[in-house]
Amino acid sequence: MDLNLKFDLESVKIEYLNGSENGSVNDSGLPKDGIKYRLINIPDEMLSDLQAQELKLKGDNENLYFTTNSKVFTVKENFHSNTVMLMTHSQDTRDPPNFVAYTMQQSELELLQVKLKLTTDHIPLYTIEDYNGTCGNSDEKKQYTFIKKRDLIDSLPLSYKDFDEQWNGSLLIELPDMSVKKISPMVENEVLELILLSIIALKMDYNNVQFDKILEKLKEINFDANEQIDLLVKAVFYKYTFNNSELNMKEIAKFYGLKTLKKVCPASRRKYIDLNDFYVYWKDSFPDYFNCEIDVAILIGHFVKAVDSNKILEIEKERLPKDIVKRVKYLMNIQPAWEQLHIQPFFDELNVKNIKTDNFIMKYAKKKRERSGKVIITSR
């Protein structure tokens, strides 16, 4: 929905606003012109952006947003019982403000600038079958939602600038048929390994990797490469590099760490593994001759660690309840006591009101400090 906002209060022809009503109402108390009015309080520093750029109204299941080409504003409703007067404003301080209208609405809308993330959970996957060309003919392919890039931009509460910045590294690709898909974990694994093998073969400095040379070498290694290999390599390369020139070793280590968790101590087995053994499996998961430092701390939020031993077990994050009460019960069913360090990320994800961490945890669970210094979280 495109909006054309006018900031000239001389154009306001409303003498009186009460709730969503204006001065002229029909017998049922509704506006004769069919328009319901709401006041939005716009800070001065935002006026230039809203006047100069395309403004769109967007929303999701919980919030309403105004987006410009470069910024996103959420709408907050502030309740009050004051009478609000609308006045003209002049840059010339000698011109007195003139009364235009007044309102007795019980609330005003306020714009607050926010930074939102590009969500990709609803995007169809580019699967390993797509990658290997084993999907069969079009009649045999699974039906999926066809999403164009432009439609995706319009459907998300993001500015164009935020969308473009977050597209790189999101593993999203735009295919020749104009559809958008997200690279699946299995395809990501295949392509990342080819990239790393190419870097090793070229003896490149991890702090100075070159995309064009990597792509050329990769096609030599995998001469029967997928026809979309350029798109796939570019998307994965963006995710695992800084400024497209330096390998992001932490993200690479994390990817192989999560892969190892699923392989050696999956949640479905409910069989913990000793941390020292896990490190051995993790190290062995990297391509030959690729050296990378590993630390289980980068995987916190993806596993549970036993309180009384050095053993860990994978957590299936996709199965975690979105309701905090149900989530706490789910986590306590896995094990009845947790170190705060390891359970806190699961609380933080649902702390949308930014309540102080300890207060938020204690609202739904018990907390105690042991003599050893460990902070233990248990059910209430």
Side-chain angles (χ1 to χ4, degrees):
M1 177 181 180
D2 293 328
L3 299 178
N4 292 316
L5 293 186
K6 297 183 181 300
F7 298 97
D8 179 8
L9 290 179
E10 295 288 352
S11 65
V12 178
K13 301 301 182 184
I14 310 164
E15 296 181 356
Y16 172 65
L17 295 174
N18 185 7
S20 61
E21 301 172 2
N22 66 4
S24 300
V25 297
N26 55 29
D27 294 338
S28 61
L30 295 176
K32 289 182 178 179
D33 58 10
I35 299 175
K36 294 183 178 181
Y37 298 94
R38 295 299 302 273
L39 292 181
I40 299 180
N41 184 4
I42 303 175
D44 290 341
E45 61 270 18
M46 296 181 188
L47 282 177
S48 59
D49 287 330
L50 297 180
Q51 288 175 310
Q53 301 183 40
E54 180 183 13
L55 183 66
K56 288 192 173 183
L57 180 63
K58 297 183 179 182
D60 56 24
N61 292 335
E62 298 180 355
N63 298 297
L64 180 67
Y65 302 97
F66 283 93
T67 67
T68 67
N69 297 339
S70 60
K71 295 179 181 178
V72 180
F73 305 94
T74 187
V75 179
K76 176 183 177 183
E77 187 169 22
N78 294 322
F79 291 92
H80 62 76
S81 58
N82 302 323
T83 298
V84 177
M85 295 185 179
L86 299 181
M87 312 292 288
T88 59
H89 175 69
S90 173
Q91 297 294 333
D92 190 341
T93 57
R94 294 173 297 179
D95 293 338
N98 293 318
F99 172 80
V100 177
Y102 76 96
T103 173
M104 295 180 66
Q105 289 183 350
Q106 296 180 345
S107 66
E108 292 178 16
L109 302 180
E110 179 185 4
L111 297 185
L112 302 173
Q113 187 173 347
V114 292
K115 197 78 172 179
L116 301 176
K117 290 184 178 180
L118 171 59
T119 55
T120 60
D121 296 342
H122 62 297
I123 307 298
L125 291 178
Y126 187 88
T127 65
I128 195 67
E129 290 78 18
D130 292 318
Y131 181 75
N132 292 326
T134 57
C135 284
N137 59 45
S138 57
D139 294 332
E140 296 173 345
K141 291 181 181 179
K142 293 181 179 180
Q143 295 295 318
Y144 68 91
T145 304
F146 188 94
I147 301 177
K148 289 186 177 181
K149 189 174 182 179
R150 181 68 196 192
D151 295 335
L152 179 61
I153 297 173
D154 290 340
S155 69
L156 296 172
L158 293 173
S159 67
Y160 295 128
K161 179 182 177 183
D162 290 340
F163 182 87
D164 289 340
E165 290 176 350
Q166 294 185 50
W167 174 274
N168 295 334
S170 67
L171 295 179
L172 295 179
I173 55 173
E174 185 177 21
L175 297 168
D177 65 358
M178 305 300 289
S179 68
V180 172
K181 286 190 176 184
K182 182 179 180 180
I183 297 173
S184 70
M186 291 184 71
V187 176
E188 181 182 4
N189 178 67
E190 293 285 330
V191 176
L192 178 58
E193 186 162 325
L194 286 173
I195 290 174
L196 297 180
L197 288 173
S198 300
I199 291 173
I200 293 168
L202 292 167
K203 298 180 179 180
M204 281 186 175
D205 182 350
Y206 293 168
N207 296 320
N208 186 24
V209 292
Q210 300 173 49
F211 174 78
D212 292 338
K213 291 184 178 180
I214 291 172
L215 184 60
E216 182 180 348
K217 189 65 179 179
L218 184 149
K219 290 179 178 179
E220 291 179 13
I221 295 174
N222 187 22
F223 58 89
D224 191 24
N226 179 289
E227 61 182 2
Q228 311 299 341
I229 196 65
D230 292 43
L231 289 173
L232 298 171
V233 173
K234 187 175 183 181
V236 176
F237 185 79
Y238 276 148
K239 179 178 178 179
Y240 291 103
T241 57
F242 296 114
N243 301 318
N244 305 324
S245 61
E246 178 186 350
L247 286 184
N248 186 338
M249 303 299 281
K250 183 177 177 181
E251 279 299 309
I252 294 173
K254 184 176 180 179
F255 176 80
Y256 282 98
L258 295 178
K259 176 184 171 183
T260 304
L261 276 174
K262 289 185 177 296
K263 182 178 181 181
V264 302
C265 54
S268 57
R269 290 186 197 169
R270 297 298 292 268
K271 186 176 180 180
Y272 288 70
I273 185 173
D274 186 82
L275 189 55
N276 291 326
D277 293 335
F278 175 76
Y279 272 120
V280 173
Y281 287 116
W282 189 0
K283 199 71 176 176
D284 288 343
S285 69
F286 293 99
D288 292 339
Y289 306 109
F290 183 77
N291 298 314
C292 185
E293 293 183 4
I294 56 177
D295 185 348
V296 76
I298 66 175
L299 304 180
I300 289 176
H302 296 273
F303 66 87
V304 50
K305 181 181 178 295
V307 173
D308 56 355
S309 69
N310 211 28
K311 294 185 176 183
I312 62 173
L313 174 72
E314 181 217 10
I315 286 281
E316 293 179 298
K317 294 198 69 171
E318 61 273 10
R319 298 189 64 180
L320 288 174
K322 300 298 183 184
D323 177 80
I324 183 62
V325 175
K326 293 179 180 179
R327 174 171 291 197
V328 172
K329 183 178 180 180
Y330 180 90
L331 294 171
M332 294 304 167
N333 282 336
I334 297 175
Q335 66 178 38
W338 292 63
E339 289 184 50
Q340 181 172 341
L341 174 67
H342 297 120
I343 199 173
Q344 184 170 318
F346 304 118
F347 279 86
D348 290 342
E349 289 173 0
L350 300 182
N351 187 7
V352 294
K353 295 184 179 180
N354 295 318
I355 299 171
K356 189 177 179 181
T357 300
D358 288 350
N359 293 343
F360 188 68
I361 291 176
M362 293 176 67
K363 188 175 180 180
Y364 302 100
K366 290 182 180 180
K367 174 181 173 180
K368 65 178 180 179
R369 184 180 296 274
E370 295 186 338
R371 291 182 179 180
S372 63
K374 287 183 180 179
V375 179
I376 305 300
I377 307 298
T378 59
S379 60
R380 294 181 66 86

